[in-house]
Amino acid sequence: MFYQKLDEFPKNFLWGAASAAYQIEGAYQEDGKGLSIWDKYAHQKGNTFKDTNGDVAVDHYHHYKEDVALMAKMGLKAYRFSVSWSRIIPTGDGEVNKKGLQFYCNLINELRKNNIEPILTMYHWDLPLVLQEKYQGWEDKRTADAFLKYAKVLYTNFKDKVKYWVTFNEQNVFTSMGYRWGTHPPKVKDIKRMYKANHIINLANARAIKLFHEIVPNGMIGPSFGYGPVYSRTCDSNDVLASLNAADFNNNWWLDMYCRGKYPFFTYKVLDSLGIAPKVTDTDKRILEDPLAHPDFLGINYYHGGTVQQNRIEKPVKDKNEEHQFTKTDPYLMQPKGDKAQNPEVPMFNNVDNPYLKKTEWGWEIDSTGLRISLRQVYEKYQLPIMITENGLGAKDKVENGQINDDYRIKYLRDHILAMREAITDGVDLLGYCAWSFSDLLSWLNGYSKRYGFVYIDQNDNENGTLKRMPKKSFNWYKQVIKDNGSNINEEE
Ligand code: BGP
C-alpha cells in the first residue's frame, strides 16, 4: 500500500542504537566480576569463530565515557545496553558486587547527562557460570529465583534513572541455540530440554515483570523477541496452512506466552503428542496468566523472516518442477534424520529459500517490507506499543584512507526506517528504533569480521587492535536522520 504522504515520526521518537554487555565490555574479570557461561564457552577451543572471546571485546568498560561522548555527538536519543548479571552478582544468587553496580550507575549517569534515554536489558545471554554449574542453569527453577533476586537489585538501584527495561533478549534464539542446536552454551542438543528451560525462563520473565510493576510503577518493561514474518511459498492452500503452522511454532509460542500467559493450542498439542511439551502446573498458570505479569511494550529484534511450504520431506515431491533447495535452516540438515520428536516441525512446515529476496554475505535475507509486515502483525495481535530493539546489517567493513564508506549499510537502514515510517502511517504505535549496533562489537560466532556499528573500532580476532574509535559514513547519515526526526526518509526517493 502506498500513501500520498507519510505520517511524521512521533515527536519523542526514540532514535537509538543497541549493544550487549558480553559483546562490548571486556574487563571480564575486573572489579569483582564473576564468570558467565559465555566466558567459559568462548574459552573452549572450536566453539567460536577463530576462538574469539569477549575478554577484551571493544573494551567499553574502560572507554564508556568516550563511547557516550560519540553517542552525544551523533545526537542519539536512546541507547540500549545490557547489564552483565555476573558483574552485579558474581555467584548468580549471592552477594552484590558494589563495583559492578557502580559501573552501570556511572554509565547511566553519563547517558542522562547527555540527554540519552537508557534502555536497560537485564539478560542478554551471559548467565552467571555458577548457576549453570550449581543448578544446570535454566533447567532448574532455582535459576528463575536467582533472576528475581538480581532483578530486584536492578529495580531498586535504577528505578529513578531508567524508564525502559527489557527482560530477556531473544529468548527464542538463545534457547534454540543453547539447548537444541548446541551452538551456544550450554551446548545441549535436546529439544525436550529446550522446551523445559524455555518454560522456566517464561516463569522468570513473568515474575520479573510482576515485581517490576510493584517497584517501578512509572517504568515500562517487556521482552525483546527475535521476530520473523513467515511467508507461504505458493498460494496453494496447503502451503498457506504450513505458514500458519510456522508462525505458531516460531513466533506465537513465545509472544502468546508473554502477552496472554498461554502457549498456542495447536503447537502445544503437537509437542504434547510427541512427549516434548513443557509441563504447565496450576501454580505456573497463576503466575503466567496474571495480567500484572504481562509486558507494557514489546521489543522486536528484526533481521529477517522465513518462507515455508507444506511437508514435502515426508511426502515425496512428484513433480520435478516443484523441487527446491532447502536452506541451511532445514531441520533435517541440523538434526539426525528420522527422529520425529527432535524435529517436530517437519510435518507442520518445511523451510525453503525465498527467490524474491537478496541475502547478506552471511546468508540472512534482506527484507525491509518484512519489517512493516512484522510490525503490523505484532501490533494487530497484541495491541501493545512496540520498540524495535535491534535491526542492522552485518558486513565486512574496510578502512580506506582513514574512511569507512558503508553505503550498503546506509541503504539497508534507510529502507528499514522507511518501512517503519510506513507502519506508523498504517497506525502502529512505535516507541523507538535501536539500530544494531552503536559501535562495532564482538559477534557471538563471527568475531570481528561481521561488523554492524556506526562507529568502527580497531579490534581484530587476535584482540590486539588499538581500540581506536572511528565514525563511519553511516554515523553522519544517521545523525542527520535523527536531526530531521526521520522526515527525510520517504517513499519518493
Ligand atoms: C541478535 C543478538 C545480538 C547480535 C545480533 C547479530 O540475535 O541479539 O546480540 O549478535 O543478533 O548477530 P550476529 O553477530 O550473529 O550477526
Side-chain angles (χ1 to χ4, degrees):
M1 167 157 181
F2 299 100
Y3 293 101
Q4 292 292 325
K5 196 174 177 309
L6 293 172
D7 287 1
E8 296 297 331
F9 281 92
K11 239 181 161 182
N12 300 323
F13 192 73
L14 294 170
W15 294 101
S19 71
Y22 185 73
Q23 299 179 273
I24 60 167
E25 285 178 4
Y28 84 113
Q29 282 184 310
E30 223 168 297
D31 290 339
K33 180 185 169 294
L35 294 181
S36 79
I37 52 172
W38 268 94
D39 290 316
K40 180 173 174 190
Y41 183 75
H43 281 160
Q44 289 166 337
K45 289 232 163 304
N47 281 342
T48 61
F49 179 74
K50 293 191 181 167
D51 295 328
T52 41
N53 61 51
D55 293 2
V56 178
V58 291
D59 203 26
H60 172 73
Y61 194 75
H62 299 111
H63 288 74
Y64 78 91
K65 282 196 178 172
E66 183 185 350
D67 291 341
V68 174
L70 279 166
M71 292 173 203
K73 194 170 172 199
M74 191 190 221
L76 215 63
K77 304 270 188 220
Y79 174 56
R80 174 182 177 231
F81 62 95
S82 82
V83 172
S84 156
W85 182 349
S86 61
R87 226 182 253 296
I88 304 290
I89 306 180
T91 56
D93 57 0
E95 290 302 305
V96 172
N97 172 29
K98 292 225 167 70
K99 286 189 174 169
L101 267 179
Q102 195 56 52
F103 170 70
Y104 295 104
C105 193
N106 294 344
L107 172 65
I108 293 165
N109 287 343
E110 199 68 18
L111 290 167
R112 284 253 168 257
K113 211 165 80 189
N114 286 285
N115 297 316
I116 301 168
E117 187 76 41
I119 302 170
L120 188 158
T121 302
M122 294 155 70
Y123 187 87
H124 202 125
W125 305 356
D126 46 354
L127 181 76
L129 182 60
V130 179
L131 296 178
Q132 187 63 44
E133 293 181 340
K134 202 157 69 165
Y135 303 142
Q136 238 188 313
W138 290 114
E139 293 179 80
D140 190 308
K141 285 187 176 170
R142 283 173 295 182
T143 297
D145 295 339
F147 184 73
L148 257 285
K149 188 176 164 187
Y150 161 63
K152 193 169 180 186
V153 173
L154 295 182
Y155 298 160
T156 47
N157 277 279
F158 301 130
K159 65 176 190 296
D160 299 322
K161 295 171 187 277
V162 179
K163 178 173 178 195
Y164 298 100
W165 297 67
V166 170
T167 50
F168 288 92
N169 178 70
E170 293 187 357
Q171 187 181 332
N172 53 330
V173 173
F174 80 82
T175 52
S176 306
M177 306 280 265
Y179 293 88
R180 184 178 189 191
W181 307 122
T183 51
H184 277 192
K187 221 179 170 175
V188 171
K189 289 187 184 180
D190 182 338
I191 199 167
K192 186 171 182 178
R193 287 174 64 184
M194 176 191 111
Y195 283 122
K196 183 182 173 202
N198 184 66
H199 185 64
I200 292 173
I201 299 164
N202 284 332
L203 292 166
N205 181 68
R207 289 172 63 199
I209 291 182
K210 178 152 182 173
L211 185 66
F212 180 86
H213 288 136
E214 285 159 18
I215 303 180
V216 200
N218 298 323
M220 288 180 85
I221 193 164
S224 275
F225 182 71
Y227 191 86
V230 182
Y231 305 134
S232 169
R233 181 177 159 245
T234 73
C235 53
D236 176 336
S237 45
N238 286 303
D239 288 340
V240 175
L241 185 62
S243 71
L244 294 186
N245 296 344
D248 219 40
F249 186 82
N250 295 345
N251 296 321
N252 304 346
W253 184 257
W254 282 273
L255 290 177
D256 279 13
M257 180 49 83
Y258 293 144
C259 301
R260 299 173 177 166
K262 287 186 178 122
Y263 291 113
F265 70 90
F266 163 70
T267 300
Y268 192 88
K269 198 157 181 252
V270 172
L271 301 184
D272 199 31
S273 70
L274 294 165
I276 56 174
K279 271 206 193 72
V280 186
T281 66
D282 287 341
T283 314
D284 293 353
K285 278 187 194 158
R286 267 196 301 279
I287 295 170
L288 297 165
E289 291 176 22
D290 182 346
L292 286 173
H294 297 168
D296 305 309
F297 74 92
L298 281 171
I300 293 297
N301 291 359
Y302 176 78
Y303 291 93
H304 60 83
T307 304
V308 301
Q309 66 175 10
Q310 61 190 296
N311 177 14
R312 290 268 165 92
I313 291 178
E314 292 176 319
K315 237 173 138 195
V317 180
K318 286 186 194 130
D319 179 354
K320 274 271 172 241
N321 296 331
E322 288 284 295
E323 271 189 285
H324 62 270
Q325 290 291 313
F326 282 102
T327 64
K328 277 193 193 143
T329 50
D330 170 22
Y332 264 30
L333 292 177
M334 297 187 80
Q335 287 289 307
K337 284 192 185 198
D339 185 345
K340 284 206 167 138
Q342 290 297 325
N343 297 285
E345 64 271 67
V346 170
M348 294 189 262
F349 64 92
N350 304 155
N351 297 310
V352 292
D353 273 326
N354 186 326
Y356 294 95
L357 298 173
K358 293 205 175 105
K359 291 181 177 167
T360 70
E361 280 186 80
W362 280 266
W364 293 17
E365 286 165 350
I366 301 175
D367 179 19
S368 56
T369 305
L371 175 58
R372 183 176 179 186
I373 294 170
S374 303
L375 293 171
R376 287 274 298 271
Q377 288 177 334
V378 173
Y379 188 62
E380 177 78 40
K381 190 152 186 232
Y382 303 106
Q383 304 274 307
L384 284 173
I386 299 175
M387 183 175 322
I388 295 169
T389 38
E390 281 183 34
N391 170 241
L393 176 71
K396 290 181 184 156
D397 296 331
K398 277 199 197 80
V399 187
E400 279 163 342
N401 307 320
Q403 310 275 321
I404 303 99
N405 287 321
D406 55 345
D407 287 317
Y408 38 89
R409 180 166 296 108
I410 293 173
K411 172 163 177 30
Y412 179 99
L413 294 173
R414 196 203 81 86
D415 290 351
H416 286 76
I417 292 173
L418 174 59
M420 225 162 53
R421 190 169 175 192
E422 289 165 334
I424 288 173
T425 311
D426 291 338
V428 172
D429 181 2
L430 201 58
L431 298 170
Y433 173 77
C434 293
W436 184 265
S437 48
F438 178 68
S439 69
D440 286 345
L441 40 71
L442 174 74
S443 168
W444 301 96
L445 299 179
N446 302 287
Y448 295 93
S449 60
K450 191 179 188 186
R451 292 170 179 266
Y452 283 87
F454 293 113
V455 177
Y456 186 90
I457 299 190
D458 181 24
Q459 179 61 301
N460 56 48
D461 297 333
N462 303 319
E463 291 204 307
N464 57 14
T466 62
L467 298 171
K468 188 176 165 204
R469 272 84 170 134
M470 299 161 68
K472 303 177 192 176
K473 189 171 177 186
S474 56
F475 181 99
N476 288 321
W477 174 83
Y478 195 46
K479 183 179 177 176
Q480 192 61 41
V481 172
I482 299 172
K483 201 167 163 219
D484 298 343
N485 198 30
S487 63
N488 53 344
I489 309 278
N490 48 54
E491 283 172 343
E492 286 98 67
E493 275 180 60

